[in-house]
Amino acid sequence: MTLRENPRGENLLTDNPALYEHQFPDPDHVAARFTHDVVTRFGVGRHSGAGRDLLDVGCGTGRDAGHLASLGYRVVGLDSSESMVEHARAHHPAAAFVLGDMRSFDLGRRFDVITCLDSALLYCHTNADLDDFLRRCRDHLEPGGLLVAEMRNGAFFLGNTELLDDVRSRTVVWEGVSYTSHTRLWIDHAAQLLRRRREWQWPGAQPLVQRSAWRLLFPQELRHFLDHAGFDVLALFDSPGPRTEPPWASDAELSEDLSGDRLHLVARLRQPQ
């Protein structure tokens, strides 16, 4: 398998989903198991016992959606990357996949659970973006349904600079080619964004520079947005989770210190009055 003919599009990894999965493997399906365990633990309101219609927003390569489908969920995955959606459809036929924007999608149906993992929620850079996304979730969830999200924790960066001090380099070998990334993170305080500059290098190609950013959300700020959108927060915890050490376990006690690098959210859409 080779890189897509135009690897200088949106993002080297999202343009090449197989390379993405090689760079960020999850052979034990920890993210999908985390989702299943959280749904089992908190239920889905009056739909508890049914609760199997699930929308995965920012589904990427579809591996979480595919594993959840194997556990009996009826899954739809949504992503803004055409390459990712194509890959997901080809590799995970038990789930359905659609191309869409997390701020404006309209699928014409409701789900018992909506997931938004791996900081996908933080691509809502402005308050208006976040309001739009939560409105889309509200309009696509059954009353009593769950929103499950996993992301970076803005509070982690209060006095903590361990992710900001150095350029981090990493090499992954894929299809016999070494791809090396050099990544720098910094905080844009005015915009409340964690910005990233990543330069890719591999033999026979000019360096590829890509820039991206995530919204830095603080726990109390997130609670406010959810309350305004009609959700009750059932759990907000920093560990454990699918990307923490130690990793998630089904019987884990949830830490509410909220000082760790990751933030995990479970919220329920309120029943109509």
Side-chain angles (χ1 to χ4, degrees), residues 178-256:
S178 295
Y179 298 87
T180 299
S181 62
H182 305 285
T183 302
R184 183 171 72 90
L185 300 172
W186 71 97
I187 294 177
D188 180 340
H189 293 83
Q192 203 170 315
L193 295 175
L194 178 65
R195 295 195 180 274
R196 179 180 70 185
R197 181 189 185 276
R198 174 172 285 166
E199 180 175 303
W200 285 98
Q201 299 173 351
W202 67 96
Q206 293 296 315
L208 172 61
V209 175
Q210 296 171 333
R211 294 175 173 83
S212 56
W214 298 274
R215 172 71 179 264
L216 288 178
L217 286 170
F218 293 84
Q220 290 300 321
E221 179 185 24
L222 186 56
R223 286 183 182 274
H224 175 77
F225 275 103
L226 286 155
D227 178 62
H228 181 73
F231 288 86
D232 293 321
V233 175
L234 305 182
L236 200 60
F237 56 100
D238 54 3
S239 67
R243 294 168 180 83
T244 63
E245 187 58 45
W248 173 258
S250 60
D251 59 350
E253 182 177 350
L254 308 183
S255 168
E256 297 181 349

Side-chain angles (χ1 to χ4, degrees), residues 65-87:
H67 189 70
L68 288 165
S70 76
L71 297 178
Y73 291 86
R74 297 176 291 270
V75 185
V76 175
L78 181 143
D79 203 276
S80 62
S81 166
E82 185 174 352
S83 299
M84 287 292 197
V85 170
E86 290 176 357
H87 179 92

Side-chain angles (χ1 to χ4, degrees), residues 164-182:
L164 309 175
D165 291 336
D166 300 305
V167 173
R168 294 172 180 259
S169 299
R170 181 178 181 180
T171 298
V172 58
V173 179
W174 180 62
E175 298 291 328
V177 178
S178 295
Y179 298 87
T180 299
S181 62
H182 305 285

Side-chain angles (χ1 to χ4, degrees), residues 72-180:
Y73 291 86
R74 297 176 291 270
V75 185
V76 175
L78 181 143
D79 203 276
S80 62
S81 166
E82 185 174 352
S83 299
M84 287 292 197
V85 170
E86 290 176 357
H87 179 92
R89 287 172 175 165
H91 289 81
H92 304 286
F97 297 95
V98 295
L99 189 67
D101 188 309
M102 66 190 300
R103 300 163 298 182
S104 59
F105 65 91
D106 184 359
L107 304 184
R109 57 170 293 195
R110 291 181 181 268
F111 298 83
D112 301 303
V113 181
I114 294 178
T115 58
C116 191
L117 305 178
D118 198 19
S119 293
L121 184 147
L122 303 184
Y123 288 111
C124 294
H125 288 175
T126 68
N127 292 346
D129 289 341
L130 191 54
D131 282 335
D132 287 344
F133 169 66
L134 292 176
R135 190 177 300 113
R136 294 292 81 217
C137 291
R138 184 181 65 209
D139 291 348
H140 285 78
L141 271 175
E142 296 282 2
L146 294 181
L147 171 62
V148 179
E150 182 265 337
M151 69 204 86
R152 286 190 180 276
N153 179 16
F156 172 79
F157 294 94
L158 294 174
N160 193 325
T161 63
E162 68 178 70
L163 296 180
L164 309 175
D165 291 336
D166 300 305
V167 173
R168 294 172 180 259
S169 299
R170 181 178 181 180
T171 298
V172 58
V173 179
W174 180 62
E175 298 291 328
V177 178
S178 295
Y179 298 87
T180 299

Side-chain angles (χ1 to χ4, degrees), residues 20-37:
Y20 179 97
E21 289 200 335
H22 193 68
Q23 174 88 339
F24 302 111
D26 186 10
D28 297 325
H29 301 288
V30 178
R33 289 194 290 106
F34 162 80
T35 299
H36 173 66
D37 291 343

